[in-house]
Amino acid sequence: MTSGEAGAADCVFCRIVRGEIPARRAYEDELVLAFHDIRPAAPVHVLIIPKAHVASLADCGAGHDAMLGRMLGLAPRLARELGATGGFRTIVNTGRDGRQEVYHLHMHVIGGRDTGPMIART
Ligand code: AMP
């Protein structure tokens, strides 16, 4: 495990998958779950996660290709359905430098307004 990584038992997103913590679900299939972010940064802000615990994108390998493809393919469909008609931003914060807070892989899908510059250029 990497620093800050929770095991599947007490991982907050695993608990959402198991229904132990409430979440506003937006989509679910056998591989992935999407739910609304508890602190939305824009009118549309959902998180797409794998149902199986994977700590971060850095922990993915070839065996995760189907799940990763499902996550990416779902993003435009969900954004459209939730009303982000002008486009959207996908973000996968990874590890310390990526400022990842929850160590269960997740893709932010953010839209419904201009999301601003990609990242501060120093
Ligand atoms: P990150 O910095 O990419 O790890 O982002 C983690 C995201 O998870 C943040 O945007 C949080 O607001 C969100 N989050 C944390 N706990 C919950 C929860 N119980 N339900 C919904 N979203 C959550």
Side-chain angles (χ1 to χ4, degrees):
M1 279 190 196
T2 53
S3 162
E5 179 186 331
D10 52 356
C11 164
V12 62
F13 288 175
C14 284
R15 297 192 68 197
I16 287 175
V17 169
R18 293 196 297 266
E20 296 168 6
I21 292 177
R24 272 181 66 210
R25 293 175 181 235
Y27 174 86
E28 181 169 6
D29 64 26
E30 81 283 9
L31 285 179
V32 303
L33 171 67
F35 53 93
H36 294 263
D37 196 291
I38 203 166
R39 291 186 61 226
V44 174
H45 188 169
V46 289
L47 303 174
I48 304 175
I49 70 169
K51 282 189 162 175
H53 184 81
V54 183
S56 83
L57 192 57
D59 296 287
C60 289
H64 295 105
D65 285 357
M67 172 270 287
L68 291 169
R70 187 73 59 86
M71 287 174 65
L72 201 57
L74 179 59
R77 178 181 148 193
L78 264 184
R80 211 169 31 243
E81 287 177 4
L82 293 170
T85 53
F88 58 91
R89 175 165 294 156
T90 50
I91 302 173
V92 183
N93 294 323
T94 304
R96 183 195 58 212
D97 288 355
R99 298 275 191 112
Q100 183 175 0
E101 290 175 4
V102 176
Y103 276 78
H104 181 128
L105 172 63
H106 51 281
M107 177 187 292
H108 297 256
V109 180
I110 300 171
R113 67 165 171 81
D114 178 356
T115 55
M118 180 180 68
I119 190 170
R121 296 181 192 276
T122 53

Coordinates of all heavy atoms in Angstrom, one line a residue, residues 23-119:
A23 N -25.0 7.7 -1.0 CA -24.5 8.5 -2.1 C -25.6 8.7 -3.2 O -26.4 7.8 -3.3 CB -23.2 7.9 -2.8
R24 N -25.5 9.8 -3.9 CA -26.5 10.0 -5.0 C -26.0 9.3 -6.2 O -25.1 9.9 -6.9 CB -26.7 11.5 -5.2 CG -27.7 12.2 -4.4 CD -27.8 13.7 -4.8 NE -28.3 13.9 -6.2 CZ -27.9 14.9 -6.9 NH1 -27.1 15.8 -6.5 NH2 -28.4 15.0 -8.1
R25 N -26.5 8.1 -6.5 CA -25.9 7.3 -7.6 C -26.5 7.8 -8.9 O -27.6 8.2 -9.0 CB -26.3 5.9 -7.4 CG -25.6 5.2 -6.1 CD -26.1 3.8 -5.9 NE -25.4 3.4 -4.7 CZ -24.7 2.2 -4.6 NH1 -24.6 1.5 -5.7 NH2 -24.0 1.9 -3.5
A26 N -25.6 7.9 -9.9 CA -25.9 8.3 -11.2 C -25.9 7.2 -12.2 O -26.6 7.3 -13.3 CB -25.0 9.5 -11.6
Y27 N -25.1 6.2 -12.0 CA -25.0 5.1 -12.9 C -24.3 3.9 -12.2 O -23.5 4.1 -11.3 CB -24.1 5.5 -14.1 CG -23.8 4.3 -15.1 CD1 -24.7 4.0 -16.1 CD2 -22.7 3.5 -14.9 CE1 -24.5 2.9 -16.9 CE2 -22.5 2.4 -15.7 CZ -23.4 2.1 -16.7 OH -23.1 1.1 -17.6
E28 N -24.6 2.7 -12.6 CA -24.0 1.5 -12.0 C -24.1 0.4 -13.0 O -25.1 0.2 -13.7 CB -24.8 1.2 -10.7 CG -24.2 0.0 -10.0 CD -24.8 -0.2 -8.6 OE1 -25.8 0.5 -8.3 OE2 -24.4 -1.1 -7.9
D29 N -23.0 -0.4 -13.1 CA -23.0 -1.7 -13.8 C -22.1 -2.6 -13.1 O -21.7 -2.3 -12.0 CB -22.7 -1.5 -15.3 CG -21.3 -1.0 -15.6 OD1 -20.4 -1.2 -14.7 OD2 -21.1 -0.3 -16.6
E30 N -21.7 -3.7 -13.7 CA -20.9 -4.7 -13.0 C -19.5 -4.2 -12.7 O -18.8 -4.7 -11.8 CB -20.9 -6.0 -13.8 CG -20.0 -6.2 -14.9 CD -20.4 -5.5 -16.2 OE1 -21.4 -4.7 -16.2 OE2 -19.7 -5.7 -17.2
L31 N -19.0 -3.3 -13.5 CA -17.6 -2.8 -13.3 C -17.4 -1.5 -12.6 O -16.5 -1.3 -11.8 CB -17.0 -2.7 -14.7 CG -16.5 -3.9 -15.5 CD1 -16.0 -3.5 -16.8 CD2 -15.6 -4.7 -14.7
V32 N -18.4 -0.6 -12.8 CA -18.2 0.8 -12.3 C -19.4 1.3 -11.6 O -20.5 0.8 -11.9 CB -17.7 1.8 -13.4 CG1 -16.5 1.3 -14.1 CG2 -18.9 2.0 -14.4
L33 N -19.2 2.4 -10.8 CA -20.3 3.1 -10.2 C -20.0 4.6 -10.3 O -18.8 5.0 -10.3 CB -20.3 2.7 -8.7 CG -21.3 3.5 -7.8 CD1 -22.7 3.2 -8.1 CD2 -21.0 3.2 -6.3
A34 N -21.1 5.3 -10.6 CA -20.9 6.8 -10.7 C -21.9 7.4 -9.6 O -23.0 7.0 -9.5 CB -21.2 7.3 -12.1
F35 N -21.4 8.4 -8.9 CA -22.2 9.1 -7.9 C -21.8 10.6 -7.9 O -20.7 10.9 -8.3 CB -22.1 8.4 -6.6 CG -20.7 8.3 -6.0 CD1 -20.2 9.2 -5.2 CD2 -20.0 7.2 -6.4 CE1 -18.9 9.1 -4.7 CE2 -18.7 7.0 -5.9 CZ -18.1 8.0 -5.1
H36 N -22.7 11.4 -7.4 CA -22.4 12.8 -7.3 C -21.4 13.1 -6.2 O -21.5 12.6 -5.1 CB -23.7 13.6 -7.1 CG -24.7 13.5 -8.2 ND1 -24.8 14.5 -9.2 CD2 -25.5 12.5 -8.6 CE1 -25.7 14.1 -10.1 NE2 -26.1 12.9 -9.8
D37 N -20.5 14.0 -6.5 CA -19.5 14.4 -5.5 C -20.2 15.2 -4.3 O -21.1 16.0 -4.6 CB -18.4 15.3 -6.1 CG -17.2 15.5 -5.2 OD1 -17.3 16.1 -4.2 OD2 -16.1 15.0 -5.6
I38 N -19.8 14.9 -3.1 CA -20.4 15.4 -1.9 C -20.1 17.0 -1.8 O -20.8 17.7 -1.2 CB -19.9 14.7 -0.7 CG1 -20.9 14.8 0.5 CG2 -18.5 15.1 -0.2 CD1 -20.7 13.8 1.6
R39 N -19.0 17.4 -2.4 CA -18.7 18.8 -2.4 C -18.5 19.3 -3.9 O -17.3 19.5 -4.3 CB -17.4 19.1 -1.6 CG -17.6 18.9 -0.1 CD -16.3 19.3 0.6 NE -16.0 20.7 0.5 CZ -14.7 21.1 0.2 NH1 -13.7 20.3 0.0 NH2 -14.5 22.4 0.0
P40 N -19.6 19.5 -4.6 CA -19.5 19.7 -6.0 C -18.7 21.0 -6.4 O -19.0 22.0 -5.7 CB -20.9 19.7 -6.5 CG -21.7 20.0 -5.3 CD -21.0 19.4 -4.1
A41 N -17.9 21.0 -7.3 CA -17.1 22.1 -7.8 C -17.8 22.9 -8.9 O -17.4 23.9 -9.3 CB -15.7 21.7 -8.2
A42 N -18.9 22.3 -9.4 CA -19.6 22.9 -10.6 C -21.0 22.3 -10.5 O -21.3 21.3 -9.8 CB -18.9 22.6 -11.8
P43 N -22.0 22.8 -11.3 CA -23.3 22.2 -11.4 C -23.3 20.7 -11.6 O -24.2 20.0 -11.1 CB -24.0 23.0 -12.5 CG -23.3 24.3 -12.5 CD -21.9 24.0 -12.2
V44 N -22.5 20.3 -12.5 CA -22.3 18.8 -12.7 C -20.9 18.4 -12.2 O -19.9 18.9 -12.5 CB -22.4 18.5 -14.2 CG1 -22.1 17.0 -14.5 CG2 -23.7 18.8 -14.8
H45 N -21.0 17.5 -11.2 CA -19.7 17.0 -10.7 C -20.0 15.6 -10.1 O -20.5 15.4 -9.0 CB -19.2 17.9 -9.5 CG -17.8 17.5 -9.1 ND1 -17.1 18.3 -8.2 CD2 -17.0 16.4 -9.3 CE1 -15.9 17.7 -8.0 NE2 -15.9 16.6 -8.6
V46 N -19.6 14.6 -10.9 CA -19.8 13.2 -10.5 C -18.4 12.5 -10.5 O -17.5 13.0 -11.1 CB -20.7 12.4 -11.5 CG1 -22.2 12.9 -11.3 CG2 -20.3 12.5 -12.9
L47 N -18.4 11.5 -9.7 CA -17.2 10.6 -9.7 C -17.5 9.3 -10.2 O -18.6 8.7 -9.9 CB -16.8 10.5 -8.2 CG -16.5 11.7 -7.4 CD1 -16.2 11.4 -5.9 CD2 -15.3 12.5 -8.0
I48 N -16.6 8.8 -11.1 CA -16.8 7.4 -11.7 C -15.7 6.6 -11.0 O -14.5 6.9 -11.1 CB -16.7 7.4 -13.2 CG1 -17.7 8.4 -13.8 CG2 -16.8 6.0 -13.7 CD1 -17.5 8.5 -15.4
I49 N -16.1 5.5 -10.4 CA -15.1 4.6 -9.7 C -15.3 3.2 -10.2 O -16.4 2.8 -10.6 CB -15.3 4.7 -8.2 CG1 -16.6 4.0 -7.7 CG2 -15.2 6.2 -7.7 CD1 -16.7 3.9 -6.2
P50 N -14.2 2.4 -10.0 CA -14.3 1.0 -10.2 C -15.0 0.4 -9.0 O -14.8 0.9 -7.9 CB -12.9 0.5 -10.4 CG -12.1 1.5 -9.6 CD -12.8 2.8 -9.8
K51 N -15.8 -0.7 -9.2 CA -16.4 -1.3 -8.0 C -15.4 -2.0 -7.1 O -15.5 -2.1 -5.9 CB -17.6 -2.2 -8.4 CG -18.8 -1.5 -8.8 CD -20.0 -2.4 -9.0 CE -21.3 -1.7 -8.9 NZ -22.4 -2.6 -9.3
A52 N -14.4 -2.6 -7.8 CA -13.3 -3.3 -7.1 C -12.3 -2.3 -6.6 O -12.0 -1.3 -7.4 CB -12.7 -4.3 -8.0
H53 N -11.8 -2.5 -5.5 CA -10.8 -1.5 -4.9 C -9.5 -1.5 -5.7 O -8.8 -2.5 -5.8 CB -10.5 -1.8 -3.4 CG -9.6 -0.8 -2.8 ND1 -10.1 0.4 -2.4 CD2 -8.3 -0.8 -2.6 CE1 -9.1 1.1 -1.9 NE2 -8.0 0.4 -2.0
V54 N -9.2 -0.3 -6.3 CA -7.9 -0.1 -6.9 C -7.5 1.3 -6.3 O -8.3 2.2 -6.4 CB -8.0 0.0 -8.4 CG1 -6.6 0.3 -9.0 CG2 -8.6 -1.2 -9.0
A55 N -6.3 1.4 -5.7 CA -6.0 2.6 -4.9 C -5.9 3.8 -5.8 O -6.3 4.9 -5.5 CB -4.7 2.4 -4.2
S56 N -5.3 3.7 -7.0 CA -5.0 4.9 -7.8 C -4.8 4.4 -9.3 O -4.5 3.2 -9.5 CB -3.9 5.7 -7.3 OG -2.6 5.2 -7.8
L57 N -4.7 5.4 -10.1 CA -4.4 5.1 -11.5 C -3.0 4.5 -11.7 O -2.7 3.7 -12.5 CB -4.5 6.4 -12.4 CG -4.5 6.2 -13.9 CD1 -5.6 5.3 -14.4 CD2 -4.6 7.6 -14.6
A58 N -2.1 4.9 -10.7 CA -0.7 4.4 -10.7 C -0.7 2.9 -10.4 O 0.3 2.3 -10.6 CB 0.1 5.2 -9.7
D59 N -1.8 2.4 -9.8 CA -1.8 1.0 -9.5 C -2.5 0.1 -10.6 O -2.7 -1.1 -10.3 CB -2.5 0.8 -8.2 CG -1.8 1.5 -7.0 OD1 -0.8 0.9 -6.6 OD2 -2.2 2.6 -6.6
C60 N -2.8 0.7 -11.7 CA -3.5 0.0 -12.8 C -2.5 -0.7 -13.7 O -1.4 -0.1 -14.0 CB -4.4 0.9 -13.6 SG -5.9 1.4 -12.6
G61 N -2.9 -1.8 -14.2 CA -2.1 -2.5 -15.2 C -3.0 -3.0 -16.3 O -4.1 -2.6 -16.4
A62 N -2.4 -3.9 -17.2 CA -3.2 -4.4 -18.3 C -4.5 -5.0 -17.9 O -5.5 -5.0 -18.6 CB -2.4 -5.4 -19.1
G63 N -4.5 -5.6 -16.7 CA -5.8 -6.3 -16.3 C -6.9 -5.3 -16.0 O -8.0 -5.8 -15.7
H64 N -6.6 -4.1 -15.9 CA -7.6 -3.1 -15.6 C -8.1 -2.4 -16.9 O -8.9 -1.4 -16.8 CB -7.0 -2.0 -14.7 CG -6.7 -2.6 -13.3 ND1 -5.4 -2.8 -12.9 CD2 -7.5 -2.9 -12.3 CE1 -5.4 -3.3 -11.7 NE2 -6.6 -3.4 -11.3
D65 N -7.7 -2.8 -18.1 CA -8.1 -2.1 -19.3 C -9.6 -2.0 -19.5 O -10.1 -0.9 -19.9 CB -7.4 -2.7 -20.5 CG -5.9 -2.5 -20.6 OD1 -5.4 -1.7 -19.8 OD2 -5.3 -3.0 -21.5
A66 N -10.3 -3.0 -19.2 CA -11.8 -3.0 -19.5 C -12.4 -2.0 -18.5 O -13.3 -1.2 -19.0 CB -12.3 -4.4 -19.3
M67 N -12.0 -2.0 -17.3 CA -12.6 -1.1 -16.3 C -12.3 0.3 -16.7 O -13.1 1.2 -16.6 CB -12.1 -1.5 -14.9 CG -12.5 -0.5 -13.8 SD -11.2 0.8 -13.6 CE -9.9 -0.1 -12.9
L68 N -11.0 0.6 -17.0 CA -10.6 2.0 -17.4 C -11.3 2.4 -18.6 O -11.8 3.6 -18.7 CB -9.1 2.0 -17.6 CG -8.3 1.8 -16.3 CD1 -6.8 1.7 -16.7 CD2 -8.4 3.0 -15.4
G69 N -11.5 1.5 -19.6 CA -12.3 1.9 -20.8 C -13.7 2.2 -20.5 O -14.3 3.2 -21.1
R70 N -14.3 1.5 -19.6 CA -15.7 1.7 -19.2 C -15.8 3.1 -18.5 O -16.7 3.8 -18.8 CB -16.1 0.6 -18.2 CG -17.6 0.6 -17.9 CD -18.5 0.2 -19.0 NE -18.2 -1.2 -19.5 CZ -18.7 -2.3 -18.9 NH1 -19.5 -2.2 -18.0 NH2 -18.4 -3.5 -19.4
M71 N -14.8 3.4 -17.6 CA -14.9 4.7 -16.9 C -14.8 5.8 -17.9 O -15.6 6.8 -17.9 CB -13.7 4.8 -16.0 CG -13.8 3.9 -14.7 SD -12.4 4.0 -13.7 CE -12.3 5.7 -13.1
L72 N -13.9 5.7 -18.9 CA -13.7 6.8 -19.8 C -14.9 6.9 -20.8 O -15.3 8.0 -21.1 CB -12.4 6.6 -20.6 CG -11.7 7.8 -21.3 CD1 -11.4 8.9 -20.3 CD2 -10.4 7.4 -22.0
G73 N -15.4 5.8 -21.2 CA -16.5 5.8 -22.1 C -17.8 6.3 -21.5 O -18.6 6.9 -22.2
L74 N -17.9 6.1 -20.2 CA -19.1 6.6 -19.5 C -19.1 8.1 -19.3 O -20.2 8.7 -19.3 CB -19.1 5.9 -18.1 CG -20.3 6.2 -17.2 CD1 -21.6 5.8 -17.9 CD2 -20.2 5.4 -15.9
A75 N -18.0 8.7 -19.2 CA -17.9 10.1 -18.9 C -18.7 11.0 -19.8 O -19.5 11.8 -19.3 CB -16.4 10.6 -18.9
P76 N -18.6 10.9 -21.2 CA -19.4 11.8 -22.0 C -20.9 11.5 -21.9 O -21.7 12.4 -22.0 CB -18.8 11.5 -23.4 CG -18.1 10.2 -23.3 CD -17.6 10.1 -21.9
R77 N -21.2 10.2 -21.8 CA -22.6 9.9 -21.7 C -23.3 10.5 -20.4 O -24.3 11.1 -20.5 CB -22.7 8.3 -21.7 CG -24.1 7.8 -21.5 CD -24.2 6.3 -21.5 NE -25.3 5.9 -20.6 CZ -25.5 4.7 -20.2 NH1 -24.6 3.7 -20.5 NH2 -26.5 4.4 -19.4
L78 N -22.6 10.3 -19.3 CA -23.1 10.9 -18.0 C -23.1 12.4 -18.1 O -24.1 13.0 -17.7 CB -22.2 10.5 -16.9 CG -22.5 9.3 -16.1 CD1 -21.5 9.1 -14.9 CD2 -24.0 9.3 -15.6
A79 N -22.1 13.0 -18.6 CA -22.0 14.5 -18.7 C -23.2 15.0 -19.5 O -23.9 15.9 -19.1 CB -20.7 14.9 -19.3
R80 N -23.5 14.3 -20.6 CA -24.6 14.7 -21.5 C -25.9 14.5 -20.7 O -26.8 15.4 -20.7 CB -24.6 13.8 -22.7 CG -25.1 14.5 -23.9 CD -24.9 13.7 -25.2 NE -24.8 12.2 -25.1 CZ -23.7 11.5 -25.3 NH1 -22.6 12.1 -25.7 NH2 -23.7 10.2 -25.2
E81 N -26.1 13.4 -20.1 CA -27.4 13.1 -19.4 C -27.6 14.0 -18.2 O -28.7 14.4 -17.9 CB -27.4 11.6 -18.9 CG -27.5 10.6 -20.0 CD -27.4 9.2 -19.5 OE1 -27.3 9.0 -18.3 OE2 -27.4 8.3 -20.3
L82 N -26.5 14.5 -17.6 CA -26.7 15.4 -16.4 C -26.7 16.9 -16.8 O -26.9 17.7 -16.0 CB -25.5 15.1 -15.5 CG -25.6 13.7 -14.8 CD1 -24.3 13.5 -14.0 CD2 -26.8 13.6 -13.9
G83 N -26.6 17.1 -18.1 CA -26.9 18.5 -18.6 C -25.6 19.3 -18.9 O -25.7 20.5 -19.1
A84 N -24.5 18.7 -18.9 CA -23.2 19.4 -19.2 C -23.1 19.5 -20.7 O -22.3 18.8 -21.3 CB -22.0 18.8 -18.6
T85 N -23.9 20.3 -21.4 CA -24.0 20.3 -22.8 C -22.9 21.0 -23.5 O -22.6 20.9 -24.7 CB -25.3 20.9 -23.3 OG1 -25.5 22.2 -22.7 CG2 -26.5 20.0 -22.9
G86 N -22.2 21.9 -22.7 CA -21.1 22.7 -23.3 C -19.7 22.1 -23.2 O -18.7 22.8 -23.4
G87 N -19.7 20.8 -22.8 CA -18.4 20.2 -22.6 C -18.2 19.9 -21.1 O -19.0 20.2 -20.3
F88 N -17.1 19.3 -20.8 CA -16.8 18.9 -19.4 C -15.3 18.7 -19.2 O -14.6 18.6 -20.2 CB -17.6 17.7 -19.0 CG -17.3 16.5 -19.9 CD1 -16.3 15.6 -19.6 CD2 -18.0 16.3 -21.1 CE1 -16.0 14.5 -20.4 CE2 -17.7 15.3 -21.9 CZ -16.8 14.4 -21.6
R89 N -14.9 18.6 -18.0 CA -13.5 18.2 -17.7 C -13.5 16.9 -16.9 O -14.2 16.7 -16.0 CB -12.8 19.3 -16.9 CG -11.4 19.0 -16.4 CD -10.7 20.2 -16.0 NE -10.5 21.1 -17.1 CZ -10.3 22.4 -16.9 NH1 -10.3 22.9 -15.7 NH2 -10.1 23.2 -17.9
T90 N -12.5 16.0 -17.3 CA -12.3 14.8 -16.6 C -11.0 15.0 -15.9 O -10.0 15.5 -16.4 CB -12.2 13.6 -17.5 OG1 -11.3 13.8 -18.6 CG2 -13.6 13.2 -18.0
I91 N -10.9 14.6 -14.6 CA -9.7 14.7 -13.8 C -9.5 13.4 -13.0 O -10.4 12.9 -12.4 CB -9.8 15.9 -12.8 CG1 -10.1 17.2 -13.4 CG2 -8.5 15.9 -11.9 CD1 -10.3 18.4 -12.5
V92 N -8.3 12.9 -13.1 CA -7.9 11.7 -12.2 C -6.7 12.1 -11.4 O -5.6 12.0 -11.9 CB -7.6 10.5 -13.1 CG1 -7.4 9.3 -12.2 CG2 -8.8 10.2 -14.0
N93 N -7.0 12.6 -10.2 CA -5.8 13.0 -9.3 C -5.2 11.7 -8.9 O -5.8 10.8 -8.5 CB -6.4 13.8 -8.1 CG -6.9 15.1 -8.5 OD1 -6.4 15.8 -9.4 ND2 -8.0 15.5 -7.9
T94 N -3.8 11.7 -9.0 CA -3.1 10.5 -8.7 C -1.9 10.8 -7.8 O -1.0 11.5 -8.2 CB -2.6 9.8 -10.0 OG1 -3.8 9.6 -10.8 CG2 -1.9 8.5 -9.7
G95 N -1.9 10.1 -6.6 CA -0.8 10.2 -5.7 C -0.6 11.6 -5.1 O -1.4 12.5 -5.2
R96 N 0.6 11.7 -4.4 CA 0.9 12.9 -3.7 C 0.9 14.2 -4.5 O 0.2 15.1 -4.3 CB 2.2 12.7 -3.0 CG 2.6 13.9 -2.1 CD 4.1 13.9 -1.7 NE 4.9 13.9 -3.0 CZ 6.1 13.3 -3.1 NH1 6.6 12.6 -2.1 NH2 6.7 13.3 -4.3
D97 N 1.7 14.1 -5.6 CA 1.8 15.3 -6.5 C 0.5 15.6 -7.2 O 0.2 16.8 -7.6 CB 2.9 15.2 -7.4 CG 4.3 15.3 -6.8 OD1 4.3 15.6 -5.5 OD2 5.3 15.1 -7.4
G98 N -0.3 14.6 -7.4 CA -1.6 14.8 -8.0 C -2.7 15.2 -7.0 O -3.8 15.4 -7.4
R99 N -2.3 15.3 -5.8 CA -3.2 15.8 -4.7 C -4.4 14.9 -4.5 O -5.5 15.3 -4.3 CB -3.7 17.2 -4.9 CG -2.6 18.3 -4.9 CD -2.2 18.7 -3.5 NE -1.4 19.9 -3.5 CZ -1.7 21.1 -3.1 NH1 -2.9 21.3 -2.6 NH2 -0.9 22.1 -3.1
Q100 N -4.2 13.6 -4.7 CA -5.3 12.6 -4.5 C -5.6 12.6 -3.0 O -4.7 12.4 -2.2 CB -4.8 11.2 -5.0 CG -5.9 10.2 -4.9 CD -5.5 8.8 -5.5 OE1 -4.4 8.7 -6.0 NE2 -6.4 7.9 -5.5
E101 N -6.9 12.7 -2.7 CA -7.3 12.7 -1.3 C -7.9 11.3 -0.9 O -7.7 10.8 0.2 CB -8.4 13.8 -1.1 CG -7.8 15.2 -1.1 CD -8.9 16.2 -1.0 OE1 -10.0 15.9 -0.8 OE2 -8.5 17.4 -1.1
V102 N -8.7 10.7 -1.8 CA -9.3 9.4 -1.6 C -8.6 8.4 -2.4 O -8.5 8.4 -3.6 CB -10.8 9.4 -1.9 CG1 -11.4 8.1 -1.7 CG2 -11.5 10.5 -1.1
Y103 N -8.0 7.4 -1.7 CA -7.2 6.4 -2.3 C -8.0 5.2 -2.8 O -7.8 4.1 -2.4 CB -6.0 6.0 -1.5 CG -4.8 7.0 -1.7 CD1 -4.8 8.2 -1.1 CD2 -3.8 6.7 -2.6 CE1 -3.8 9.2 -1.4 CE2 -2.8 7.6 -2.9 CZ -2.8 8.8 -2.2 OH -1.8 9.8 -2.5
H104 N -9.0 5.5 -3.6 CA -9.8 4.5 -4.4 C -9.9 5.3 -5.7 O -10.5 6.3 -5.8 CB -11.1 4.2 -3.7 CG -12.0 3.2 -4.5 ND1 -12.5 2.1 -3.9 CD2 -12.4 3.2 -5.8 CE1 -13.2 1.4 -4.7 NE2 -13.2 2.1 -5.9
L105 N -9.4 4.7 -6.8 CA -9.4 5.3 -8.1 C -10.7 5.9 -8.4 O -11.8 5.3 -8.2 CB -9.1 4.2 -9.2 CG -9.2 4.7 -10.6 CD1 -8.2 5.8 -11.0 CD2 -9.0 3.4 -11.5
H106 N -10.7 7.2 -8.9 CA -11.9 7.9 -9.3 C -11.6 8.9 -10.4 O -10.6 9.5 -10.4 CB -12.6 8.5 -8.1 CG -11.7 9.4 -7.3 ND1 -10.8 9.0 -6.4 CD2 -11.6 10.8 -7.3 CE1 -10.2 10.0 -5.8 NE2 -10.6 11.1 -6.4
M107 N -12.6 9.0 -11.3 CA -12.5 10.1 -12.3 C -13.6 11.1 -12.0 O -14.8 10.8 -11.9 CB -12.8 9.4 -13.7 CG -12.8 10.5 -14.8 SD -13.3 9.7 -16.3 CE -11.8 8.6 -16.6
H108 N -13.1 12.4 -11.8 CA -14.1 13.5 -11.7 C -14.6 13.8 -13.1 O -13.8 13.9 -14.0 CB -13.4 14.7 -11.1 CG -12.8 14.6 -9.8 ND1 -13.4 15.1 -8.7 CD2 -11.7 14.0 -9.3 CE1 -12.7 14.9 -7.6 NE2 -11.6 14.2 -8.0
V109 N -15.9 14.0 -13.2 CA -16.5 14.6 -14.4 C -17.2 15.8 -14.0 O -18.2 15.8 -13.2 CB -17.5 13.6 -15.1 CG1 -18.1 14.1 -16.3 CG2 -16.8 12.2 -15.3
I110 N -16.7 17.0 -14.5 CA -17.1 18.3 -14.0 C -17.5 19.1 -15.2 O -16.8 19.3 -16.2 CB -15.9 19.0 -13.3 CG1 -15.4 18.1 -12.1 CG2 -16.3 20.4 -12.8 CD1 -14.1 18.6 -11.5
G111 N -18.7 19.7 -15.1 CA -19.2 20.6 -16.1 C -20.4 21.4 -15.7 O -20.7 21.5 -14.5
G112 N -21.1 22.0 -16.7 CA -22.2 22.8 -16.4 C -21.9 24.3 -16.3 O -22.7 25.1 -16.0
R113 N -20.6 24.6 -16.4 CA -20.1 25.9 -16.4 C -18.7 25.9 -17.0 O -18.1 24.8 -17.1 CB -20.0 26.6 -15.0 CG -19.0 25.9 -14.1 CD -18.8 26.8 -12.9 NE -18.0 26.2 -11.8 CZ -16.6 26.1 -11.8 NH1 -15.9 26.6 -12.8 NH2 -16.0 25.6 -10.8
D114 N -18.1 27.0 -17.3 CA -16.7 27.1 -17.8 C -15.8 26.6 -16.6 O -15.9 27.2 -15.5 CB -16.4 28.5 -18.2 CG -14.9 28.6 -18.6 OD1 -14.1 27.7 -18.5 OD2 -14.5 29.8 -19.0
T115 N -15.1 25.6 -16.8 CA -14.3 25.1 -15.6 C -12.9 25.8 -15.4 O -12.2 25.4 -14.6 CB -14.1 23.5 -15.8 OG1 -13.4 23.3 -17.1 CG2 -15.4 22.8 -15.8
G116 N -12.7 26.8 -16.2 CA -11.5 27.6 -16.0 C -10.2 26.9 -16.6 O -10.3 25.9 -17.2
P117 N -9.1 27.6 -16.3 CA -7.8 27.1 -16.9 C -7.5 25.7 -16.3 O -7.9 25.3 -15.2 CB -6.7 28.1 -16.4 CG -7.4 29.1 -15.7 CD -8.9 28.8 -15.5
M118 N -6.8 24.9 -17.0 CA -6.5 23.5 -16.7 C -5.7 23.4 -15.3 O -6.1 22.7 -14.4 CB -5.7 22.8 -17.8 CG -5.4 21.4 -17.4 SD -4.4 20.6 -18.7 CE -2.9 21.5 -18.7
I119 N -4.7 24.2 -15.2 CA -3.8 24.1 -14.0 C -3.0 25.4 -14.0 O -2.7 26.0 -15.1 CB -2.9 22.9 -14.1 CG1 -2.2 22.6 -12.7 CG2 -2.0 22.9 -15.2 CD1 -1.5 21.3 -12.7

